[in-house]
């Protein structure tokens, strides 16, 4: 005859297996590290790897101190295009969200007996659509303008307002290509004037 206490103590433990698994993993990793360290020349390999890492870090610090990051962002055309695309797209999204409530052309379309929830959903959809459209447009403008200006600047080997004018003309013409030659001409002239004015303002005392 066994007492209930003895029967309860004889039951298998149902504790969490996590500590046991963790201990097994630690033992396995320790064994793997010892095996690697026992390989002939492992110390030299480790020392060589540490030296390479240290040398790379030193070269990176020198590159940063010499303005490498600034040159990468201002002289590398793909990087400039990427930055302008992200900045333009983000600005377009925010501008679209701000202007959506004032959009009278494609205004909010809901039934007269629509509930507050339906009106809110329609408003969110309109805002999202306006933001997405303007974000896409501004991202394209930023990419085309930054890429064309960078290429023109490298081709001319000069940094002046003509680069902005040429890039603006090219951007305006590309954006208005679906409207025909007249629209492309107007877009070219308009974007060239706008980009030249912005560039002049940025380099003036007021900027």
């Amino acid at each position: 005859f066994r007492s209930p206490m003895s029967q309860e103590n004889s039951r298998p433990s149902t504790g969490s297996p996590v500590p046991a698994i963790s201990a097994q993993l630690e033992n396995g990793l320790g064994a793997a590290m010892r095996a690697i360290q026992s390989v002939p020349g492992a110390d030299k390999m480790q020392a060589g790897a540490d030296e390479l890492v240290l040398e790379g870090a030193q070269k990176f610090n020198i590159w940063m101190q010499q303005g490498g990051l600034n040159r990468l962002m201002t002289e590398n055309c793909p990087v400039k295009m990427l930055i302008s695309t992200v900045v333009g797209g983000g600005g377009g999204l925010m501008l679209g969200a701000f202007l959506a409530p004032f959009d009278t052309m494609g205004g909010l379309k809901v039934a007269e007996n629509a509930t507050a929830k339906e009106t809110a959903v329609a408003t969110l959809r309109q805002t999202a659509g306006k933001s997405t459209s303007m974000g896409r447009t501004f991202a394209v403008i930023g990419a085309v303008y930054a890429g064309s200006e960078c290429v023109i600047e490298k081709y001319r080997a000069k940094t002046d307002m003509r680069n902005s004018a040429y890039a603006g003309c090219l951007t305006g013409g590309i954006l208005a290509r679906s409207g025909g030659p007249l629209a492309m001409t107007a877009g070219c002239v308009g974007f060239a004037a706008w980009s030249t004015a912005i560039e002049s303002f940025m380099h003036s005392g007021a900027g």
Side-chain angles (χ1 to χ4, degrees):
F1 174 79
R2 300 176 65 184
S3 66
M5 183 65 70
S6 61
Q7 291 179 359
E8 183 176 347
N9 293 335
S10 64
R11 291 175 183 173
S13 174
T14 58
S16 174
V18 173
I21 295 175
S22 177
Q24 292 177 0
L25 288 175
E26 290 180 1
N27 293 335
L29 290 175
M33 291 299 298
R34 288 191 295 271
I36 292 174
Q37 292 174 356
S38 65
V39 175
D43 295 339
K44 293 182 179 180
M45 293 174 61
Q46 181 64 38
D50 294 341
E51 184 177 351
L52 286 175
V53 171
L54 180 60
E55 183 180 356
Q58 291 174 347
K59 288 182 178 180
F60 179 77
N61 290 333
I62 294 173
W63 179 75
M64 290 289 292
Q65 293 172 1
Q66 294 178 347
L69 181 61
N70 184 57
R71 292 197 306 272
L72 178 66
M73 296 177 64
T74 57
E75 299 178 6
N76 188 289
C77 293
V79 173
K80 288 183 68 174
M81 286 184 62
L82 179 61
I83 294 174
S84 297
T85 301
V86 174
V87 173
L93 286 173
M94 291 187 291
L95 184 62
F98 175 76
L99 295 178
F102 307 101
D103 185 10
T104 57
M105 297 294 294
L108 188 64
K109 296 180 177 138
V110 293
E112 294 182 359
N113 60 346
T115 63
K117 181 179 179 181
E118 292 173 344
T119 303
V121 170
T123 302
L124 288 175
R125 287 179 178 173
Q126 181 196 19
T127 302
K130 186 73 173 180
S131 298
T132 303
S133 176
M134 295 197 70
R136 188 184 301 112
T137 300
F138 275 74
V140 172
I141 292 175
V144 174
Y145 179 82
S148 57
E149 184 186 33
C150 184
V151 172
I152 292 170
E153 181 178 343
K154 289 185 179 297
Y155 176 77
R156 297 183 66 237
K158 293 181 181 179
T159 302
D160 52 26
M161 286 193 295
R162 287 189 178 183
N163 296 334
S164 301
Y166 296 151
C169 177
L170 182 61
T171 303
I174 291 176
L175 292 176
R177 66 188 184 279
S178 60
L182 185 60
M184 292 180 66
T185 302
C188 169
V189 174
F191 264 86
W194 175 79
S195 57
T196 302
I198 294 296
E199 187 73 14
S200 177
F201 175 78
M202 295 294 293
H203 288 82
S204 66

